[in-house]
Amino acid sequence: MEVSPLVWGLTIAGIVGLLLFDFYFHVRKAHVPTLREAAIWSALYVGIAIMFGLGVLLLGGPTPGGEYFAGYITEKALSVDNLFVFLIIMSSFRVPREDQQKVLLFGIAFALVARTGFIFVGAALINTFAWVFYLFGLVLILTAGNMLKSDHDDAETADNFVVRLSRKVIPATDHYDGDKLFTIQDGKRVMTPMLLVMVAIGGTDILFALDSIPAIFGLTQNTYLVFTAVAFSLLGLRQLFFLIEGLLDRLIYLSYGLAAILAFIGVKLILHALHENNVGFINDGEPVPVTEISTSVSLSVILGVLVVVVVASLVSPAGKARNAISNARRHAEDYLDSEYTSDPAERERIYDLLLAERDQIIALGPKYRQKARNEQELMALLQRARDSHDSAVDRGEARATGPSKLLPPRA
């Protein structure tokens, strides 16, 4: 599929326009998006991506259309996995709720710029060296193995090398000053945690690209389709975060599904490399007669794996329990952090979520209720959150609620 410079220019202008629209009309003024707002705009961005794909299908034919949708779905799934790390980073840096949108939009913009660079480098390598497909395939298979071996490391993702270097080079304060990146402390200009968290997210975005870009090149080698699939998968990620953040820990099998998809694409790349082989020590530099995996098979496998792991995660009692316990811990910390939000309604919403998670744990039965009780740090957090809320009730700043069965009785 040939794409003219005019189409390239219009596409880039449209994507930049969507980012600017997002900033000026949603992120510029600090606020916490409602569930309805997040749902509407998430659906809109997904709709734009689907409409674009239908246009590719209509104008380019079934093969480019299938490649675009396979790439978009894979990149979207990888982006959801990235949201786990974003949540860890923002929780670690205690980013105020009202300013989280700005941090996320920066992360998306940085990821788009960084991945665009990787895309053009990858395309140049592929056009110059056919053996790069072997390398990309091996990277994806190793990445799949690492996904199965371990979960995200909170300390590693929230305090990576880039952040540690920034702390050494530029003095930083421990407190936020609105959404400012720098502030004045003791007469000196210092950076705020807002800049550090943006550096952390930017640094991890570069790591994400190391598996994201080889994966998309395993599904299509058309640079335009690669770029648009990656771009549309990132657009709307901010809204998606606020829409599903309470469900992230419930997707306990997502990493297994993504590992299977990356391994599948890795094998597909290696088969393609063998089919196009010109490496001297493999079959004397001649192509190897192997069966290649078609775009329709790739799309079917990707969709099938994602449906299975998402459904299995959502119906799993262990997933429900882990999600409720993790969210209860996070919401208790948020409620107790006086700098987390200045909106009384938002604080009350957080406490309501905490009560709902308590009820979820109770409803799951004695096994998971006892699991929550065994986490002493969580019990202490819940006790402090209840005491803080009761004090707010006494001052008339919050409404009264019933006692929590999960909490120990007051002394």
Side-chain angles (χ1 to χ4, degrees):
M1 189 179 82
E2 295 295 327
V3 180
S4 68
L6 176 62
V7 173
W8 265 104
L10 291 173
T11 303
I12 293 171
I15 290 168
V16 171
L18 287 172
L19 285 172
L20 292 175
F21 175 84
D22 217 6
F23 176 77
Y24 281 103
F25 290 96
H26 292 111
V27 174
R28 193 177 181 185
K29 182 180 179 182
H31 73 286
V32 181
T34 64
L35 191 62
R36 181 175 180 272
E37 177 187 340
I40 289 173
W41 286 101
S42 291
L44 180 64
Y45 278 109
V46 171
I48 292 172
I50 292 173
M51 291 298 294
F52 180 85
L54 292 175
V56 172
L57 195 64
L58 181 65
L59 299 175
T63 298
E67 289 177 352
Y68 166 80
F69 279 113
Y72 172 73
I73 292 168
T74 301
E75 291 297 312
K76 198 69 173 178
L78 288 169
S79 296
V80 171
D81 191 52
N82 296 348
L83 291 180
F84 282 96
V85 183
F86 288 169
L87 182 62
I88 290 169
I89 291 173
M90 290 197 291
S91 296
S92 173
F93 282 95
R94 309 304 304 151
V95 180
R97 183 69 170 174
E98 291 84 358
D99 295 320
Q100 288 182 0
Q101 290 197 97
K102 187 167 290 187
V103 171
L104 285 169
L105 188 60
F106 167 82
I108 291 166
F110 185 90
L112 188 54
V113 172
R115 293 185 195 197
T116 298
F118 278 112
I119 287 168
F120 285 106
V121 169
L125 288 173
I126 287 170
N127 290 331
T128 307
F129 307 107
W131 54 262
V132 168
F133 285 112
Y134 287 112
L135 177 62
F136 281 3
L138 182 61
V139 166
L140 291 181
I141 292 171
L142 291 175
T143 301
N146 287 332
M147 275 189 164
L148 294 175
K149 190 168 59 177
S150 62
D151 294 327
H152 298 301
D153 187 327
D154 294 21
E156 181 181 346
T157 53
D159 193 20
N160 58 40
F161 170 75
V162 181
V163 175
R164 292 195 296 272
L165 182 62
S166 300
R167 288 185 189 273
K168 289 181 179 179
V169 174
I170 310 173
T173 179
D174 294 329
H175 302 285
Y176 289 89
D177 185 6
D179 60 359
K180 294 179 181 177
L181 302 182
F182 292 90
T183 188
I184 303 299
Q185 180 176 280
D186 299 329
K188 295 181 180 179
R189 183 177 173 83
V190 295
M191 67 178 175
T192 68
M194 181 63 70
L195 179 57
L196 275 179
V197 73
M198 287 184 174
V199 170
I201 286 182
T204 52
D205 274 330
I206 294 175
L207 298 178
F208 293 155
L210 296 180
D211 56 51
S212 170
I213 300 307
I216 187 71
F217 272 116
L219 298 167
T220 177
Q221 284 81 59
N222 185 295
T223 307
Y224 181 75
L225 294 180
V226 171
F227 171 75
T228 51
V230 169
F232 284 118
S233 72
L234 291 172
L235 291 173
L237 195 60
R238 174 186 65 80
Q239 294 87 344
L240 186 64
F241 175 84
F242 289 97
L243 186 63
I244 69 168
E245 65 170 324
L247 290 175
L248 283 175
D249 285 296
R250 190 164 171 179
L251 300 175
I252 59 174
Y253 301 123
L254 180 62
S255 60
Y256 297 102
L258 291 176
I261 290 171
L262 291 180
F264 169 78
I265 297 174
V267 171
K268 183 177 186 293
L269 273 170
I270 290 175
L271 288 175
H272 178 74
L274 289 169
H275 189 266
E276 305 265 331
N277 180 61
N278 60 6
V279 178
F281 62 85
I282 299 176
N283 198 36
D284 295 326
E286 296 296 321
V288 181
V290 294
T291 302
E292 290 204 77
I293 300 171
S294 67
T295 300
S296 58
V297 171
S298 299
L299 185 56
S300 299
V301 169
I302 291 166
L303 280 173
V305 169
L306 287 176
V307 168
V308 169
V309 298
V310 169
V311 171
S313 296
L314 293 178
V315 300
S316 166
K320 294 177 183 177
R322 190 174 87 168
N323 191 63
I325 292 172
S326 176
N327 284 342
R329 180 184 295 106
R330 180 163 54 88
H331 288 134
E333 290 173 346
D334 293 345
Y335 187 82
L336 290 167
D337 186 351
S338 60
E339 293 186 349
Y340 184 69
T341 178
S342 58
D343 184 356
E346 176 64 13
R347 284 180 58 79
E348 197 63 22
R349 187 190 72 87
I350 292 170
Y351 194 76
D352 287 342
L353 289 172
L354 188 56
L355 295 180
E357 286 139 13
R358 172 204 66 187
D359 294 340
Q360 288 174 23
I361 297 170
I362 292 171
L364 286 169
K367 174 183 175 182
Y368 297 108
R369 190 159 60 242
Q370 188 57 45
K371 181 180 178 181
R373 284 186 178 277
N374 290 340
E375 297 196 21
Q376 296 301 317
E377 182 183 356
L378 172 61
M379 289 295 99
L381 273 173
L382 294 176
Q383 180 68 62
R384 288 167 55 202
R386 185 176 73 170
D387 291 343
S388 177
H389 186 268
D390 288 348
S391 297
V393 170
D394 293 339
R395 296 192 304 269
E397 298 172 2
R399 70 176 189 277
T401 56
S404 171
K405 297 177 183 177
L406 271 177
L407 291 174
R410 279 195 179 84

